Amino acid sequence: MRPPHPVRAALSLAVLLASGLGLATAPAQAAAPAAPASGARSLAPDTRFYVDPGSKAAQQALTDLKARDLQGALEMAQLASWPVAQWFNGTATPQETTDAMAALQAKAALARQVPVTVAYNVPGRDCSQYSAGGASNSTEYAAWIDALARGIGDRKTVVVLEPDGLALSPAFCGGTAAQQQDRLAEISGAVDRLEQQRGAIVYLDAGHSSWQNVGTQAQLLIDGGVARAQGFFLNVSNYQTDAALTRYGTLVSQCVWYLQNTPGATADSCANQYWPAADADAWYAERVPAGAKLPHFVIDSSRNGQGPWTPEPGKYTGDPQTWCNPPARGLGTRPTANTGRALLDAFLWIKVPGESDGSCTRGTAGPADPEYGSVDPIAGGWWPAQARSLADNAAPKLTFNTGLLPQH
């Protein structure tokens, strides 16, 4: 039976995206030369972020289409029409890293879009847990950052610098004082190198609203070089709500200013996210001038449409790992730089929707995840069932990105 017209159109787009046709197949040398950077390290409200026509969601759309799963193909095509960050995780040589970034820049330039990239290769990343890895030492890491920066060139590029790099730095997982100082120096050095690229818009890790105390996180950002970057990012690979994150980000931003401009101030003096809102607002109103230049932030809304997961009371006696592949979550606010909030530069999909957080056992003997009755894919592994669940539970409801086609 021939599908109705809207479905046929959606499936055609699924094939277009998944096959990498159209813009993506143009050779790199065909890309129009990038316009000189203006020097402004900011995102205009009408910024169009890069959409990868060969994404995992696009490939899944084609797989579903071949299996005659028309609804699945439609849903994955819708997901694939939205911009998702491109991760660079140190698995390539420095030259390969430069080449891969340069290739991304060529595609984004041809589409007249701004790429969102993630630098994820700091030594000892993720406290050597599910996403363990990274460069073997500080020297190797600096060389890798240099390779990444060279690939960026002068193109405007969002750089999400080291998820968990500060909020989960060695001081918070049994590391030594020396390891903590190394981490801060590595992040700070990366900021300095990336900021040499005129179009780089660099954001540092600030965890999320249910993690570090505002003052603690603000001091980490200062020590990591946030004064020389655009700002910080929140909620990567997590599920906190937009409202909680926006408030937390605002408090952290104000605390950063307070600590940098108040002699003798310490991290524990800042009003934090656990204060009554009115009290915290009054505290900062008295100490941070209305016209103060504050660091900006972005929010990862790729999986927070349903907010954080709360397991049934008493279901788990050990750690339920609420951050790890929680069930029935949904895509959140669509990627946009038109946020309507002075300090919030953009909502972005940084964590790739449909990629696993790792093999979660929730305090049980495992190896199966009791929420799914099966073993979860490894961290970063593509999980079609999770991608579909995120799409099914999206808030707002998932639709096609009508800004997908290039503008001239």
Side-chain angles (χ1 to χ4, degrees):
M1 175 177 158
R2 194 180 192 195
H5 176 70
V7 175
R8 292 202 310 273
L11 295 181
S12 296
L13 179 56
V15 174
L16 174 67
L17 291 167
S19 301
L21 298 177
L23 298 176
T25 58
Q29 61 267 27
S38 66
R41 305 290 178 108
S42 61
L43 295 170
D46 61 351
T47 298
R48 297 170 61 250
F49 298 110
Y50 176 68
V51 177
D52 178 10
S55 67
K56 292 180 180 179
Q59 295 172 36
Q60 187 63 50
L62 183 58
T63 297
D64 291 345
L65 183 61
K66 290 178 178 178
R68 299 182 182 276
D69 178 1
L70 303 186
Q71 182 57 39
L74 169 62
E75 199 167 55
M76 289 300 99
Q78 289 175 324
L79 174 57
S81 74
W82 292 96
V84 176
Q86 308 287 304
W87 287 63
F88 291 79
N89 57 15
T91 56
T93 66
Q95 187 57 54
E96 289 170 340
T97 297
T98 297
D99 293 345
M101 177 61 82
L104 172 60
Q105 296 297 339
K107 294 175 184 177
L110 190 61
R112 301 179 185 272
Q113 296 171 339
V114 174
V116 177
T117 65
V118 180
Y120 192 53
N121 191 35
V122 75
R125 72 181 184 208
D126 196 33
C127 281
S128 301
Q129 298 181 97
Y130 286 3
S131 296
S136 59
N137 55 57
S138 298
T139 301
E140 181 181 303
Y141 181 65
W144 181 79
I145 286 291
D146 179 67
L148 201 69
R150 285 187 281 110
I152 291 174
D154 286 339
R155 285 279 305 167
K156 179 169 280 191
T157 305
V158 174
V159 183
V160 174
L161 181 59
E162 299 299 343
D164 294 342
L166 293 176
L168 194 61
S169 48
F172 304 99
C173 59
T176 66
Q179 288 172 325
Q180 181 68 9
Q181 288 306 307
D182 286 346
R183 172 63 59 83
L184 295 173
E186 288 156 358
I187 298 294
S188 183
V191 171
D192 289 338
R193 176 61 189 91
L194 290 165
E195 285 288 334
Q196 292 178 27
Q197 309 308 126
R198 293 183 297 166
I201 306 174
V202 182
Y203 297 93
L204 277 63
D205 173 48
H208 59 71
S209 51
S210 292
W211 197 346
Q212 299 290 2
N213 182 288
V214 163
T216 299
Q217 188 59 64
Q219 188 62 59
L220 286 167
L221 287 168
I222 293 169
D223 294 341
V226 73
R228 305 184 305 283
Q230 171 73 1
F232 55 92
F233 59 85
L234 297 168
N235 205 48
V236 169
S237 301
N238 213 274
Y239 305 85
Q240 308 305 310
T241 66
D242 290 347
L245 293 163
T246 300
R247 176 158 186 79
Y248 179 72
T250 301
L251 296 179
V252 169
S253 185
Q254 292 172 317
C255 181
V256 166
W257 188 94
Y258 175 75
L259 293 177
Q260 289 178 317
N261 292 276
T262 307
T266 60
D268 57 4
S269 15
C270 282
N272 62 53
Q273 68 268 43
Y274 304 111
W275 284 35
D279 293 348
D281 290 345
W283 192 91
Y284 285 109
E286 292 177 4
R287 293 164 177 83
V288 179
K293 184 178 180 181
L294 307 178
H296 289 207
F297 58 93
V298 296
I299 287 173
D300 182 358
S301 57
S302 62
R303 305 191 298 179
N304 72 345
Q306 298 295 332
W309 173 56
T310 302
E312 299 172 20
K315 185 173 184 179
Y316 296 110
T317 56
D319 180 5
Q321 297 178 299
T322 57
W323 56 271
C324 192
N325 298 326
R329 300 304 91 194
L331 302 165
T333 301
R334 303 298 106 91
T336 180
N338 188 16
T339 70
R341 300 173 177 87
L343 294 179
L344 177 54
D345 285 351
F347 291 100
L348 303 172
W349 285 3
I350 300 173
K351 170 70 175 182
V352 179
E355 285 191 357
S356 173
D357 293 319
S359 182
C360 320
T361 57
R362 310 192 193 282
T364 68
D369 183 337
E371 287 299 318
Y372 302 97
S374 60
V375 177
D376 302 344
I378 61 171
W382 177 248
W383 193 355
Q386 187 192 75
R388 293 191 180 99
S389 178
L390 289 170
D392 289 339
N393 294 297
K397 180 180 168 70
L398 182 62
T399 60
F400 277 107
N401 176 12
T402 57
L404 179 65
L405 298 178
Q407 298 172 351
H408 299 282

